[in-house]
Amino acid sequence: MFDNLTQRLGKVLTNLRGQGRLTDDNIKETMREVRMALLEADVALPVVREFIDQVKQKAMGEEVMKSLTPGQTLIKIVNDELIHVMGEANEALDLAAQPPAVILMAGLQGSGKTTSVAKLGRWLLQQGKKKISVVSCDVYRPAAIDQLETLARDVGLDFISSSDDEKPLDIAKRALKETAKGFAEVLIVDTAGRLHVDEEMMGEIKQLHQVLDPVETLFVVDSMTGQDAANTAKAFNDALPLTGVILTKADGDARGGAALSIRQITGKPIKFIGVGEKTDALEAFHPDRIASRILGMGDVLSLVEEVGRKVDQEKATKLAKKLQKGKGFDLEDFKEQMLQMANMGGMSGLLDKLPGMGEIPDHVKNQVNDKEVGRLIAIINSMTPHERAFPAVIKGSRKRRIAAGSGTQVQDVNKLLKQFMQMQKMMKKMKGGGMKKMMRGMAGRFPGGGMPPGGGGFPF
Ligand SMILES: Nc1nc2c(ncn2[C@@H]2O[C@H](COP(=O)(O)OP(=O)(O)OP(=O)(O)O)[C@@H](O)[C@H]2O)c(=O)[nH]1
Ligand SMILES: [Mg+2]
């Protein structure tokens, strides 16, 4: 989802991450590239302009300049602005009404209305609704009614039958009566696809709206149509008071222009996104989560929570103090870090949640597998305390003894010492030490550069 945009923004922002200082010039340059990335993603021009203006204003302000990590602060500003553009928070359906609460679907041909009726019905059942009815007012497209019937039966929704020789308005009136009698909590009404320039068809859906008096009128639109999605939504809204949007086929959309344009252009919230053909492929639209995906930050929030839960804070603080006092990072500390990592579900579990991991080839990931961690720990266990504290003494015959003792080869011992030395170097650079910083350092070394925003201000 939105992969191209993620890649483009990722490249631009990665350059910023390590920067100690931001200048007006490199903020301008960055914003120029962000602007290009948004335009390529087919975000509507007014939205791009406003976005860039806002970010620039905040970035040039004190916020970034006085920050200790200007690059990351700027990324946070971009992230916040993405969230803002998409509407801040999820807007839930408002089904508070005398039952049945009616949901009316509208949209262009093939946008995903009928599929979304079934998805939404299924979603509402999962939310605890008991009785949901659906009806099709699509008397134009052959087999449209059968399509809804099949989907409704699969999902366990009450299907109210209708036929091609009825008038849509009559179907709607009948459905209202039947659901009132049958005590349905929700009635979802599928309609035929139509163009906003088709006056007759727009007249029809206006009448349907009048008769049904829906609590939710949802515009269903294909994500892949980019900023056109926002424009058609606006045109529909001029004829019909929409309460929200379902953005379908986001799974196949590499650009994301629709998701970023709709709210600003129409003022209407995206309430759901469709992420696949199956009836379970519907997600509530959360601007913050989508922003995080767009910035390639993976499931960092869960990762941060996990680190907070599982890292032994006491030990981490002890190590930090030790390093601050100018004492070196030794093999005992190295082992401790390995153990903590194993504690967090092992390397593989950890890596999966790190952002940017998608771009890393498997053979690189496999180098840091859990077996390897176990072996490293075994090797360190075969050393004497003196050797752990002063790794420099580990030479030829000691290496052979350690290898034999841990059931490994001398080259494994060499490899460990090399990794240890790299880690030691990293620790020296960071001075303060600590798990979060270590992870940040590690992630920064991976190609693709994605890494969790780390350090003091987790998550930013
Ligand atoms: N990949 C993907 N496909 C979807 C999604 N939503 C719908 N589709 C597919 O899009 C096609 C059209 O979906 P429909 O639900 O029939 O669209 P419609 O708006 O009811 O179409 P008309 O009734 O002809 O106007 C179908 O092949 C669906 O499987 C989605 O979120 N992701
Ligand atoms: Mg349909």
Side-chain angles (χ1 to χ4, degrees):
M1 200 170 78
F2 311 156
D3 294 350
N4 291 357
L5 180 58
T6 296
Q7 271 170 16
R8 276 297 305 260
L9 281 181
K11 255 189 220 145
V12 178
L13 297 175
T14 303
N15 292 337
L16 282 177
R17 284 189 162 122
Q19 304 254 359
R21 202 164 284 278
L22 290 185
T23 61
D24 281 6
D25 276 352
N26 66 20
I27 290 177
K28 267 196 199 124
E29 170 65 14
T30 304
M31 284 305 113
R32 213 174 53 83
E33 289 182 28
V34 170
R35 182 186 153 88
M36 293 282 290
L38 294 176
L39 288 174
E40 262 173 40
D42 202 21
V43 180
L45 192 56
V47 179
V48 176
R49 278 203 192 115
E50 174 73 12
F51 187 97
I52 297 293
D53 277 358
Q54 286 299 319
V55 173
K56 245 190 209 160
Q57 248 181 43
K58 287 176 195 152
M60 302 276 196
E62 268 187 275
E63 222 178 303
V64 170
M65 299 305 183
K66 73 178 182 208
S67 148
L68 291 175
T69 50
Q72 298 221 11
T73 309
L74 188 55
I75 294 168
K76 176 174 163 37
I77 294 174
V78 169
N79 181 60
D80 287 351
E81 198 53 32
L82 282 175
I83 295 172
H84 171 73
V85 159
M86 290 187 283
E88 302 292 351
N90 172 252
E91 284 199 32
L93 289 179
D94 181 8
L95 298 180
Q98 185 78 12
V102 178
I103 303 175
L104 175 63
M105 304 292 223
L108 303 178
Q109 271 105 347
S111 59
K113 295 176 295 299
T114 307
T115 313
S116 296
V117 168
K119 285 179 178 177
L120 196 55
R122 179 177 174 150
W123 191 85
L124 287 168
L125 286 177
Q126 275 165 358
Q127 298 290 307
K129 292 268 186 265
K130 299 276 180 301
K131 200 166 159 54
I132 293 171
S133 295
V134 297
V135 69
S136 172
C137 293
D138 186 352
V139 297
Y140 307 100
R141 189 166 64 71
I145 298 172
D146 294 343
Q147 184 195 356
L148 181 65
E149 178 168 15
T150 308
L151 285 168
R153 300 228 183 278
D154 280 355
V155 176
L157 308 169
D158 290 349
F159 175 75
I160 297 174
S161 53
S162 52
S163 96
D164 291 358
D165 8 286
E166 280 179 284
K167 289 201 180 92
L169 217 54
D170 293 337
I171 297 174
K173 285 177 189 160
R174 189 166 53 74
L176 274 182
K177 267 192 213 138
E178 282 186 30
T179 44
K181 257 193 286 178
F183 305 106
E185 296 167 84
V186 180
L187 168 65
I188 312 178
V189 182
D190 191 15
T191 61
R194 68 200 70 221
L195 288 169
H196 58 92
V197 289
D198 184 337
E199 272 177 41
E200 201 178 314
M201 287 298 277
M202 288 312 283
E204 179 201 277
I205 201 154
K206 275 193 227 178
Q207 278 185 314
L208 281 174
H209 184 271
Q210 216 169 25
V211 165
L212 288 163
D213 190 22
V215 281
E216 290 281 354
T217 305
L218 300 176
F219 183 67
V220 181
V221 68
D222 180 338
S223 181
M224 289 196 267
T225 58
Q227 57 175 303
D228 276 348
N231 297 331
T232 44
K234 191 159 183 280
F236 265 75
N237 188 52
D238 290 342
L240 200 65
L242 301 176
T243 56
V245 173
I246 299 182
L247 190 64
T248 62
K249 309 183 197 180
D251 51 310
D253 177 16
R255 300 186 303 168
L260 288 172
S261 307
I262 286 174
R263 179 61 188 247
Q264 297 298 302
I265 299 289
T266 66
K268 302 293 170 185
I270 299 172
K271 293 195 169 174
F272 294 94
I273 48 174
V275 291
E277 293 191 43
K278 299 219 179 87
T279 50
D280 62 355
L282 186 77
E283 295 175 7
F285 183 81
H286 287 276
D288 54 343
R289 294 181 203 173
I290 300 290
S292 171
R293 286 190 213 177
I294 288 176
L295 289 180
M297 297 193 297
D299 198 357
V300 168
L301 286 183
S302 327
L303 181 63
V304 170
E305 282 167 14
E306 202 173 326
V307 171
R309 254 199 331 269
K310 294 191 180 159
V311 165
D312 188 330
Q313 295 294 347
E314 223 170 279
K315 283 185 182 155
T317 317
K318 227 161 127 189
L319 175 61
K321 276 201 188 128
K322 179 179 165 189
L323 295 177
Q324 263 162 2
K325 273 193 211 143
K327 292 204 180 128
F329 175 76
D330 63 22
L331 276 165
E332 195 60 46
D333 301 321
F334 187 53
K335 181 178 136 188
E336 193 51 52
Q337 299 282 325
M338 292 291 159
L339 283 171
Q340 296 233 1
M341 230 177 261
N343 232 345
M344 281 191 289
M347 278 307 259
S348 40
L350 202 63
L351 286 184
D352 278 347
K353 294 202 187 67
L354 276 180
M357 283 298 138
E359 298 157 39
I360 296 180
D362 278 344
H363 72 270
V364 177
K365 276 189 221 169
N366 291 340
Q367 281 178 6
V368 279
N369 59 26
D370 296 319
K371 248 201 239 143
E372 173 85 4
V373 172
R375 192 161 48 193
L376 293 178
I377 291 174
I379 294 174
I380 297 177
N381 282 342
S382 294
M383 298 173 181
T384 65
H386 183 72
E387 286 164 346
R388 292 181 209 181
F390 304 99
V393 303
I394 304 174
K395 295 267 152 50
S397 68
R398 287 182 190 247
K399 280 183 190 168
R400 278 194 296 278
R401 193 205 78 238
I402 292 166
S406 56
T408 59
Q409 308 291 321
V410 169
Q411 68 208 53
D412 294 322
V413 178
N414 282 333
K415 203 166 132 201
L416 171 127
L417 289 172
K418 201 169 147 205
Q419 284 181 335
F420 164 72
M421 249 125 72
Q422 284 173 346
M423 183 76 95
Q424 197 178 35
K425 231 192 246 161
M426 212 155 81
M427 287 293 179
K428 256 188 207 142
K429 257 198 234 146
M430 297 181 325
K431 287 199 190 100
M435 191 69 187
K436 287 175 187 169
K437 282 190 180 172
M438 185 177 86
M439 282 185 12
R440 199 151 57 120
M442 275 179 8
R445 292 201 341 240
F446 287 117
M451 61 178 194
F458 248 121
F460 279 103

